[in-house]
C-alpha cells in the first residue's frame, strides 16, 4: 500500500470539542442567524438543484452545507441536525447511475460534470461521516471519485476546478486514509498533474501591484485557497520544498497585499496594501480553512498565530452581530458603507461593502458559514505521539482519548482573546503519560505555565511548547499570555495598534439605514456620525505609555461594538485634509503629520467589534 506523509497534528473527529462561553454564544447566534435559516427563503439554497429544485445548482448549496454540517454537530442542535439529514439523505439517495453526485450541470455556472461543486460537497460529507459514522458515505464517495477519475481522464480540470483542486485532493486523501485503496492516490496524482501550479506562480510572482483586470490568477479567493496547495501536494510527493512553499506564499501575499488583520486585499482581485481596499468574505473563511489544513500538515506555530489573528479580527468584523447580514468586502479603514457608483475597488460593484443578505454577489452568502464552526472544531488536535495540541484558546471542553486509548476531558476556561489568563483542567480516567503541546503566540513575551503547586515555568513565545508528564485524576494548569500594546508600521508609514491577538480600531458612531429587504434579512448602509480622520499621538517604538487599556463588562456578545470588553484609550488630532475620496477614506497621509487641531481623547476597540473604523492611522510628529 502506498502511504501519505504523516501529518504533524490530526484534527479530532467532529463533535469532540464543545464550545463554551463566548464561543458557544457565537455559534448559537450563527444558528439563529442566516446559517440556520438560509434554506427556508433564499432561492439559491431553498430551490437548489442539489435538493431537486431549479435555482442555482452549482456551488451555493454545497457551500452552505460545508458550514451547516459542523455547526449542527458542534451545537448538537436537533433542528440543524434535522436539516443536515434531509439534505444529505436527498443527495445520497439521488446518486447517478454512473456515480456522479448532485446536479450534472448548472444552467449558468461551471460546465457539465464540473468537479468544483463536487469538491465542496465532499468536504461537507467527510465532516458528516465523522460526526455520524453513516455507513453510506464511504461507498458513495468511492463511486463518485471513480466516476470523476474517468471523466477527468477524458476532460481535464479547467476553470475554478483547476485553480482550487487542493480542496478536492483533501477529500481523496481522507478516503484513502480510511480505505487504504491505492487507486485513490493515483487519482490524487492525476488531479495534481492537471492543476494550476501555484508554487510556480509564486516562485515568479507577477501580481505584486494592485490589479485592474479580473483574472483567476489574481482572484482573492483563489489565492486564499491556493496557500495550502503545495503543502497538500507534499503529503503525496514527500517534497520538502513544497512544505516550505506554502509558508513562502503567505509571506509574499503579506509583502505585496497584506492587511493588518492577517488577510490580504482583493476586491475582488489583489489590490495592494492600501487599507481602504477591500477583502472578500469568502477569502477570509477560505484563508482560515487553509490555515487549519496547513497546521495539520506542517505544525508551524506561526500558522496558529495567523489563524487567531484572522478569526478574532477579520472574521467577526464583517458580520452584523446577529449574523443576519454580512459584507462582500471589508476594509481595514472602513468609514462609509454605502452604494458607491464611484468606488475604490478593483473590479467589485457599487454594493460590495454593504451589510446585507447578498451584497454584490451571492457566493459569500453561501460560503460564510464555515468560518466559525471550522475554527471551533480545530481548537485542539492530536499529536503524533498520543497527546493533545492546543491550536487556539477559545473556551471549550475537549472529550477524546490520549496515550493509546485513555479517555480524557480537557476544560479550557477563559475569556481569551479578551483576557490573558487561560485555565486548563486535564482529567483522565486512569493515569497516563502523554504530552500536552501548547501554542505560545509569538507576541506573548513573558508567558508562563503554572501548575497546581503554584510553580511557574516560562514558556517560549512563537513555539508549540511541550509539557510531557504523567497525568492522573484532575490537574489544573494556568497559562498566562501577557498582552502588551504594540504598534505595527503600515501603509504610508501609518501605525496600527494591537494587543495580543487583537487589532484595535477607532470606534466611529454609526447610523444604520435600511436599504431594502425585511429584517432580519435586510440590506443596510452604514454612515459615520462622528469624525474619523484622526492622527494618533502615539510613539510607534514604545506605544504603551500613551495607551490606557480599559476593561468593560464581559457579555455573551463580545464582538458587538457597544459591548466591547476591552478598549484602548489614546489621544489624537483631526487631519482636516484627510477626507473621503471615491466613497472611502482618502489616500492615507504619509506619516509623520502635523495638525493645528486640538488634542482629543479617542477610544479604540477591538477591530472585530467594529462596523465603521479607522485601523491604520497617520502619526503626529
Ligand atoms: Zn464570496
Amino acid at each position: 500500500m502506498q502511504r501519505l506523509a504523516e501529518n504533524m497534528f490530526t484534527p479530532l473527529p467532529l463533535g469532540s470539542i464543545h464550545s463554551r462561553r463566548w464561543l458557544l454564544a457565537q455559534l448559537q447566534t450563527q444558528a439563529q442567524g442566516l446559517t440556520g435559516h438560509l434554506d427556508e427563503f433564499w432561492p439559491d439554497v431553498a430551490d437548489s438543484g442539489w435538493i431537486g429544485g431549479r435555482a442555482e445548482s452549482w456551488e451555493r448549496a454545497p457551500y452552505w452545507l460545508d458550514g451547516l454540517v459542523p455547526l449542527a454537530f458542534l451545537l448538537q442542535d436537533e433542528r440543524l441536525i434535522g436539516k443536515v439529514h434531509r439534505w444529505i439523505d436527498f443527495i445520497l439517495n439521488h446518486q447517478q447511475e454512473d456515480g456522479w453526485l448532485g446536479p450534472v450541470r448548472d444552467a449558468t455556472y461551471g460546465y457539465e460534470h464540473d468537479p468544483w461543486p463536487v469538491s465542496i460537497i465532499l468536504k461537507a460529507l467527510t465532516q458528516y461521516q465523522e460526526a455520524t459514522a453513516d455507513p453510506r458515505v464511504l461507498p458513495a464517495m468511492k463511486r463518485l471519485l471513480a466516476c470523476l477519475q474517468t471523466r477527468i481522464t477524458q476532460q481535464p480540470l479547467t476553470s475554478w476546478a483547476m485553480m482550487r483542486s487542493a480542496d478536492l485532493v483533501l477529500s481523496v486523501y481522507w478516503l484513502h486514509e480510511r480505505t487504504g485503496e491505492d487507486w485513490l492516490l493515483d487519482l490524487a496524482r492525476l488531479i495534481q498533474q492537471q492543476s494550476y501550479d501555484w508554487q510556480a506562480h509564486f516562485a515568479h510572482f507577477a501580481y505584486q501591484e494592485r490589479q485592474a483586470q479580473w483574472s483567476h490568477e489574481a482572484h482573492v479567493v483563489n489565492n486564499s485557497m491556493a496557500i495550502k496547495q503545495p503543502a497538500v501536494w507534499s503529503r503525496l510527493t514527500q517534497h520538502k520544498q513544497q512544505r516550505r512553499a506554502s509558508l513562502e506564499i503567505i509571506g509574499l501575499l503579506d509583502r505585496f497585499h497584506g492587511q493588518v488583520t492577517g488577510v490580504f486585499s482583493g476586491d475582488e482581485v489583489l489590490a495592494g496594501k492600501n487599507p481602504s481596499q477591500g477583502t472578500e468574505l469568502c477569502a477570509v473563511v477560505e484563508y482560515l480553512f487553509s490555515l487549519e489544513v496547513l497546521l495539520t500538515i506542517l505544525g508551524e506555530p506561526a500558522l496558529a498565530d495567523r489563524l487567531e489573528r484572522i478569526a478574532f479580527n477579520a472574521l467577526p468584523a464583517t458580520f452584523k452581530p446577529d449574523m443576519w447580514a454580512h459584507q462582500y468586502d471589508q476594509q481595514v479603514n472602513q468609514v462609509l458603507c454605502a452604494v458607491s457608483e464611484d468606488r475604490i475597488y478593483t473590479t467589485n460593484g457599487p454594493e460590495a461593502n454593504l451589510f446585507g443578505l447578498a451584497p454584490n454577489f451571492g457566493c459569500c452568502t453561501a460560503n460564510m458559514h464555515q468560518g466559525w464552526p471550522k475554527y471551533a472544531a480545530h481548537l485542539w488536535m492530536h499529536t503524533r505521539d498520543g497527546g493533545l495540541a492546543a491550536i487556539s484558546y477559545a473556551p471549550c471542553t475537549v472529550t477524546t482519548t490520549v496515550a493509546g486509548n485513555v479517555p480524557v476531558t480537557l476544560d479550557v476556561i477563559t475569556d481569551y482573546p479578551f483576557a490573558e489568563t487561560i485555565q486548563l483542567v486535564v482529567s483522565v480516567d486512569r493515569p497516563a503519560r502523554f504530552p500536552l503541546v501548547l501554542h505560545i503566540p509569538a507576541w506573548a513575551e513573558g508567558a508562563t505555565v503554572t501548575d497546581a503547586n503554584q510553580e511557574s515555568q516560562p514558556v517560549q513565545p512563537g513555539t508549540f511548547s511541550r509539557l510531557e508528564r504523567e497525568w492522573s485524576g484532575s490537574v489544573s494548569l494556568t497559562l498566562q499570555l501577557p498582552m502588551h500594546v504594540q504598534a505595527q508600521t503600515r501603509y504610508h508609514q501609518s501605525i496600527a495598534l494591537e494587543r495580543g491577538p487583537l487589532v484595535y480600531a477607532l470606534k466611529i458612531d454609526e447610523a444604520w439605514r435600511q436599504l431594502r429587504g425585511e429584517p432580519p434579512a435586510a440590506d443596510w448602509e452604514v454612515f459615520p456620525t462622528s469624525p474619523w480622520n484622526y492622527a494618533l499621538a502615539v510613539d510607534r517604538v514604545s506605544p504603551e505609555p500613551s495607551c490606557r487599556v480599559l476593561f468593560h463588562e464581559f457579555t455573551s456578545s463580545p464582538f458587538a461594538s457597544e459591548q466591547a470588553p476591552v478598549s484602548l484609550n489614546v489621544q489624537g488630532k483631526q487631519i482636516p485634509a484627510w477626507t473621503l475620496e471615491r466613497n472611502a477614506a482618502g489616500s492615507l497621509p504619509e506619516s509623520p503629520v502635523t495638525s493645528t487641531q486640538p488634542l482629543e481623547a479617542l477610544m479604540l476597540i477591538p477591530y472585530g467589534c467594529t462596523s465603521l473604523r479607522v485601523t491604520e492611522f497617520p502619526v503626529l510628529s
Side-chain angles (χ1 to χ4, degrees):
M1 187 179 97
Q2 305 175 53
R3 281 196 181 281
L4 294 167
E6 190 183 2
N7 277 334
M8 292 296 289
F9 298 135
T10 306
L12 306 182
L14 185 60
S16 311
I17 301 177
H18 302 272
S19 303
R20 301 285 184 229
R21 298 159 80 97
W22 73 261
L23 184 59
L24 176 61
Q26 183 68 51
L27 295 181
Q28 287 168 338
T29 298
Q30 182 172 346
Q32 289 150 17
L34 267 190
T35 310
H37 296 284
L38 198 61
D39 58 314
E40 295 160 16
F41 70 96
W42 196 52
D44 285 355
V45 172
D47 192 31
S48 166
W50 285 90
I51 196 84
R54 303 175 61 86
E56 200 260 18
S57 301
W58 191 50
E59 66 179 8
R60 291 186 181 179
Y63 266 152
W64 173 69
L65 286 166
D66 190 32
L68 176 74
V69 169
L71 184 66
F73 291 106
L74 286 166
L75 289 174
Q76 284 299 312
D77 182 314
E78 289 306 323
R79 185 179 71 91
L80 298 192
I81 289 172
K83 288 176 188 262
V84 168
H85 282 303
R86 175 173 167 253
W87 278 78
I88 301 290
D89 285 351
F90 187 95
I91 292 166
L92 293 178
N93 289 340
H94 290 78
Q95 188 156 23
Q96 314 271 341
E97 280 294 302
D98 65 358
W100 195 258
L101 213 50
V104 170
R105 86 155 297 174
D106 175 69
T108 308
Y109 304 108
Y111 51 96
E112 196 166 300
H113 295 107
D114 185 353
W116 161 239
V118 164
S119 67
I120 311 172
I121 206 67
L122 285 169
K123 288 193 297 170
L125 280 174
T126 54
Q127 295 175 89
Y128 167 80
Q129 196 279 341
E130 288 188 15
T132 62
D134 187 327
R136 298 174 298 172
V137 175
L138 267 57
M141 284 178 67
K142 270 196 221 178
R143 287 182 60 209
L144 167 65
L145 290 174
C147 172
L148 189 95
Q149 187 175 37
T150 306
R151 296 213 170 267
I152 67 170
T153 302
Q154 293 156 4
Q155 184 185 10
L157 301 176
T158 182
S159 187
W160 302 101
M162 180 180 70
M163 309 306 283
R164 299 177 168 184
S165 50
D167 287 58
L168 177 57
V169 166
L170 287 175
S171 294
V172 176
Y173 289 171
W174 184 94
L175 189 59
H176 171 77
E177 286 173 329
R178 280 153 186 81
T179 64
E181 294 178 15
D182 282 342
W183 69 273
L184 289 163
L185 296 189
D186 296 337
L187 171 60
R189 225 168 263 116
L190 179 65
I191 295 168
Q192 190 176 327
Q193 285 159 9
Q194 295 183 3
S195 296
Y196 186 73
D197 186 346
W198 285 101
Q199 187 180 354
H201 170 102
F202 282 101
H204 307 279
F205 187 41
Y207 297 83
Q208 301 184 0
E209 307 287 333
R210 180 186 187 278
Q211 300 296 300
Q213 293 289 323
W214 196 100
S215 70
H216 272 296
E217 292 82 355
H219 187 270
V220 64
V221 188
N222 284 351
N223 276 263
S224 254
M225 298 175 74
I227 289 167
K228 62 181 169 300
Q229 194 205 54
V232 170
W233 287 181
S234 78
R235 292 201 65 204
L236 188 60
T237 62
Q238 324 275 342
H239 289 169
K240 281 206 172 68
Q241 176 50 31
Q242 285 179 325
R243 294 171 65 84
R244 281 196 299 273
S246 281
L247 303 174
E248 288 162 7
I249 292 173
I250 291 174
L252 281 164
L253 288 168
D254 279 349
R255 184 174 158 204
F256 296 107
H257 306 284
Q259 297 287 338
V260 68
T261 50
V263 295
F264 51 92
S265 68
D267 52 15
E268 103 190 4
V269 285
L270 298 173
K273 299 187 78 165
N274 181 347
S276 290
Q277 296 291 156
T279 297
E280 185 187 333
L281 173 49
C282 280
V284 174
V285 295
E286 292 294 353
Y287 203 147
L288 288 170
F289 181 61
S290 287
L291 290 165
E292 288 149 7
V293 170
L294 288 173
L295 275 157
T296 68
I297 301 171
L298 304 175
E300 285 284 335
L303 298 167
D305 287 5
R306 182 65 63 113
L307 181 78
E308 291 199 327
R309 183 169 278 260
I310 298 174
F312 299 150
N313 296 285
L315 180 64
T318 203
F319 293 103
K320 196 161 165 282
D322 65 6
M323 291 197 80
W324 273 94
H326 71 276
Q327 295 176 288
Y328 193 85
D329 286 331
Q330 66 175 290
Q331 298 151 295
V332 164
N333 284 357
Q334 178 168 286
V335 301
L336 173 67
C337 297
V339 178
S340 304
E341 293 303 333
D342 181 24
R343 58 191 177 271
I344 188 170
Y345 318 127
T346 49
T347 64
N348 282 152
E351 303 193 351
N353 79 350
L354 301 191
F355 285 81
L357 173 62
N360 192 68
F361 190 68
C363 54
C364 305
T365 312
N367 192 12
M368 56 178 243
H369 313 280
Q370 65 169 317
W372 281 120
K374 289 187 185 172
Y375 167 75
H378 287 88
L379 295 172
W380 290 76
M381 297 191 197
H382 277 134
T383 64
R384 286 176 173 187
D385 49 0
L388 278 176
I391 304 301
S392 179
Y393 295 107
C396 67
T397 299
V398 182
T399 312
T400 184
T401 56
V402 285
N405 207 17
V406 180
V408 62
T409 302
L410 191 153
D411 287 301
V412 181
I413 304 161
T414 184
D415 287 334
Y416 185 86
F418 303 97
E420 302 174 321
T421 305
I422 299 139
Q423 189 189 359
L424 303 171
V425 183
V426 182
S427 308
V428 282
D429 281 17
R430 57 180 189 272
R433 189 173 184 83
F434 63 89
L436 203 61
V437 175
L438 300 178
H439 166 220
I440 310 299
W443 47 260
E445 285 296 331
T448 56
V449 178
T450 305
D451 66 18
N453 305 323
Q454 301 303 312
E455 282 179 29
S456 290
Q457 51 174 339
V459 279
Q460 183 66 37
T463 64
F464 278 111
S465 179
R466 279 174 71 89
L467 290 178
E468 175 123 33
R469 51 173 283 177
E470 170 140 323
W471 306 83
S472 66
S474 189
V475 178
S476 177
L477 303 169
T478 304
L479 176 62
Q480 193 72 25
L481 299 176
M483 297 180 182
H484 299 288
V485 180
Q486 294 182 318
Q488 257 198 45
T489 294
R490 305 288 316 174
Y491 189 66
H492 287 183
Q493 296 297 306
S494 64
I495 61 167
L497 295 174
E498 55 196 51
R499 180 177 174 275
L502 299 180
V503 177
Y504 284 74
L506 179 70
K507 184 177 190 302
I508 299 172
D509 295 336
E510 303 156 0
W512 287 64
R513 192 169 81 191
Q514 190 183 328
L515 190 67
R516 59 175 168 249
E518 275 302 315
D523 290 352
W524 308 84
E525 294 181 310
V526 192
F527 297 89
T529 59
S530 63
W532 54 264
N533 53 351
Y534 289 99
L536 297 188
V538 170
D539 177 22
R540 76 173 72 232
V541 180
S542 173
E544 204 137 51
S546 44
C547 302
R548 218 151 65 90
V549 183
L550 293 179
F551 295 91
H552 312 284
E553 188 192 350
F554 196 90
T555 73
S556 58
S557 306
F559 290 112
S561 70
E562 296 309 320
Q563 291 161 62
V566 197
S567 62
L568 286 188
N569 292 44
V570 298
Q571 292 190 310
K573 293 179 178 180
Q574 269 190 275
I575 305 294
W578 187 24
T579 57
L580 282 182
E581 290 168 26
R582 310 194 74 189
N583 292 298
S587 183
L588 192 56
E590 200 66 58
S591 291
V593 295
T594 57
S595 172
T596 57
Q597 300 296 303
L599 208 54
E600 294 180 51
L602 304 175
M603 187 201 269
L604 275 53
I605 60 175
Y607 180 100
C609 302
T610 60
S611 301
L612 297 182
R613 59 187 160 258
V614 169
T615 315
E616 298 192 9
F617 293 91
V619 189
L620 291 165
S621 55

